[in-house]
Amino acid sequence: MLESWGARVTSATSATALAAVSNGQQPDLLIIDYHLDNNVTGIEVLHELRQQPGLHDLAAIVISADPDEVLREQAIAGQAGFMPKPLKPAALRRLLKRYLK
């Protein structure tokens, strides 16, 4: 979906792969699932990424199929957007516009 909107997408399937993929890159936005491998959360990975030089202000959207309001609150507390799955294109576009000023 993002590529059809003209975005360049780099993907990773685990927290370890994300760290490797992001090394040296400065993405405009990170969309990350809340539930990752090895009981690591997307919010924890986001926090680690933001410790890297040049990524302190990394814009992020946390996604999850779990509709728990606590997850939304954690994302917001971590200064990230939150979007439930399944992703709705119109809602995703609105969040992208907000975070990619």
Side-chain angles (χ1 to χ4, degrees):
M1 175 178 3
L2 296 172
E3 289 169 332
S4 70
W5 294 345
R8 187 182 63 188
V9 176
T10 302
S11 62
T13 57
S14 69
T16 304
L18 176 61
V21 167
S22 66
N23 191 25
Q25 294 185 24
Q26 295 197 8
D28 295 320
L29 174 77
L30 174 69
I31 299 176
I32 190 165
D33 201 304
Y34 180 84
H35 298 285
L36 300 176
D37 58 338
N38 299 322
N39 294 319
V40 175
T41 70
I43 293 171
E44 292 168 334
V45 171
L46 175 60
H47 178 73
E48 288 179 29
L49 285 172
R50 285 181 173 162
Q51 301 307 308
Q52 295 181 17
L55 296 178
H56 301 292
D57 297 322
L58 176 62
I61 298 172
V62 177
I63 61 173
S64 179
D66 186 346
D68 189 346
E69 187 62 29
V70 172
L71 298 183
R72 178 185 300 275
E73 291 170 7
Q74 287 178 349
I76 293 169
Q79 298 183 1
F82 180 83
M83 176 160 279
K85 290 183 193 176
L87 301 179
K88 296 182 174 124
L92 180 57
R93 273 188 183 257
R94 282 192 298 276
L95 268 182
L96 291 174
K97 285 181 182 179
R98 181 184 314 157
Y99 287 97
L100 295 173
K101 297 177 185 174

